[in-house]
Amino acid sequence: MRKRLTISSLQKMKQDRNAISVLTAYDYPSAKLAEEAGIDVILVGDSLGNVVLGYETTIPVTIEDMIYHSRVVARAATNTFIVTDMPFMTYGASREATLLNAAKIMQQGGAQAVKLEGGAEIAADVEALVQAGIPVMGHIGVTPQSVHQLGGYKVQGRSEKDAQRLMDDALALEKAGAFSIVIELVTESLGTAISEALTIPTIGIGAGRSCDGQVLVYHDLLQYSSPYFEKRFVKSYADIGTTIRQAIESYVSEVKEGIFPAENNVFEAQTASPKSLYGVGANHSSAGAVKTNVPSNAPKGVPIA
Ligand code: KIV
């Protein structure tokens, strides 16, 4: 198992042109699998609002949601650099609240860094966090917490003026001390220009091929949703949604047809007669309980023979 990356090793990856792979994760098995697969950075994104909690936007996601999911991910991915999103309105309103909320994410959520959406307007907050010793990842382009202000999830930076605004935002975040910046849904030429202008690594999602790294949402990479909507900037590497649905359909029909449980899924009593186990006239409230030889305090994962 390799060691957890650091902000300086991520910086070096940019210098060495070693592309950085980032994936979101929100729970124990997804974080474990991502780490085992060799992902460089796990992002506990507030996209969990959409893909895990069933909200239409990321706006309802709370700091408690982020801390909860971050802590679970940190328990699983002990050797991976974890960045956790600061959710809507937990930064920017007051300097004190920004610092306290970031501290909660680091202390209670076990993250190694926080991510904030926004450009020059949040640079002073980023600077305060960095001065307090908290590594900050920026996020520009489409910033889903501002979806209503942006008027939808539309590609940004198409006009010269908008491209210049985003370039200025990126430079302001770098100057404020951000160690990396996510660039979401911008033209490829702008993704390239920003990546070349910055010394810190850029992580693209729908920002073209020249970013220093790429990030995808776990549920998009695996088509782990129903229904799954294809997106131009995403590549899915599996269709887990269909696999899961088919597996559950098989389970349902096997239960209904009496195929499951089968002989190898049941337990034999050591005594010939169940009566000697429960006694005649005994309280039958526990009669359905499965009796095994496994002690109740046995560690989890012990196979039940
Ligand atoms: O919340 C998230 O998952 C993100 C990524 C899409 C970059 O911010």
Side-chain angles (χ1 to χ4, degrees):
M1 183 60 79
R2 70 174 177 175
K3 270 173 57 187
R4 176 188 284 148
L5 298 177
T6 62
I7 58 174
S8 40
S9 46
L10 291 167
Q11 178 91 48
K12 182 153 188 319
M13 285 174 83
K14 173 170 178 127
Q15 285 156 8
D16 296 347
R17 295 185 178 279
N18 181 359
I20 301 166
S21 59
V22 184
L23 183 64
T24 69
Y26 318 99
D27 62 25
Y28 193 91
S30 58
K32 254 266 166 293
L33 290 167
E35 178 167 279
E36 285 168 7
I39 206 76
D40 293 316
V41 175
I42 289 180
L43 170 64
V44 186
D46 61 354
S47 53
L48 70 87
N50 307 100
V51 297
V52 175
L53 303 180
Y55 297 131
E56 291 234 327
T57 71
T58 57
I59 292 170
V61 176
T62 64
I63 185 128
E64 287 77 23
D65 292 331
M66 294 312 300
I67 290 169
Y68 176 86
H69 287 275
S70 184
R71 194 165 46 219
V72 176
V73 166
R75 218 177 284 144
T78 51
N79 290 304
T80 306
F81 191 83
I82 298 169
V83 182
T84 297
D85 263 335
M86 293 192 71
F88 183 64
M89 287 308 290
T90 59
Y91 55 96
S94 86
R95 187 64 41 77
E96 200 188 341
T98 304
L99 288 167
L100 286 176
N101 286 327
K104 279 189 196 166
I105 288 177
M106 305 284 287
Q107 288 185 312
Q108 299 171 35
Q112 279 78 55
V114 295
K115 177 164 80 60
L116 278 65
E117 295 181 7
E121 75 285 2
I122 60 155
D125 282 308
V126 171
E127 198 171 342
L129 289 167
V130 173
Q131 272 174 12
I134 298 178
V136 176
M137 179 179 262
H139 183 156
I140 60 169
V142 165
T143 44
Q145 292 170 16
S146 317
V147 60
H148 299 309
Q149 201 168 39
L150 295 173
Y153 301 99
K154 292 186 278 199
V155 175
Q156 304 289 299
R158 284 200 199 269
S159 71
E160 208 173 301
K161 188 168 165 228
D162 202 36
Q164 187 59 56
R165 172 185 67 82
L166 289 165
M167 174 64 85
D168 292 344
D169 281 342
L171 291 168
L173 291 171
E174 178 173 78
K175 190 156 172 254
F179 73 89
S180 172
I181 299 181
V182 164
I183 311 177
E184 179 164 354
L185 273 186
V186 303
T187 62
E188 180 163 59
S189 56
L190 180 59
T192 304
I194 294 176
S195 303
E196 283 173 359
L198 298 187
T199 59
I200 56 173
T202 56
I203 309 295
I205 174 161
R209 291 163 285 187
S210 308
C211 291
D212 304 302
Q214 297 290 330
V215 56
L216 280 181
V217 168
Y218 191 89
H219 292 58
D220 286 343
L221 185 145
L222 297 171
Q223 296 199 4
Y224 182 15
S225 67
S226 181
Y228 177 74
F229 298 106
E230 293 205 349
K231 302 163 194 84
R232 182 183 165 101
F233 58 91
V234 164
K235 181 168 176 188
S236 297
Y237 292 81
D239 181 358
I240 291 301
T242 302
T243 305
I244 292 175
R245 190 182 311 104
Q246 285 172 351
I248 297 171
E249 279 167 6
S250 300
Y251 165 66
V252 169
S253 69
E254 289 206 354
V255 167
K256 294 196 182 297
E257 288 164 26
I259 297 171
F260 175 81
E263 199 177 345
N264 60 346
N265 303 121
V266 299
F267 304 96
E268 298 299 328
Q270 281 171 342
T271 50
S273 160
K275 262 192 197 165
S276 60
L277 275 177
Y278 303 115
V280 179
N283 179 352
H284 282 260
S285 61
S286 62
V290 174
K291 194 99 170 109
T292 76
N293 293 327
V294 179
S296 58
N297 62 352
K300 270 195 273 173
V302 170
I304 298 177

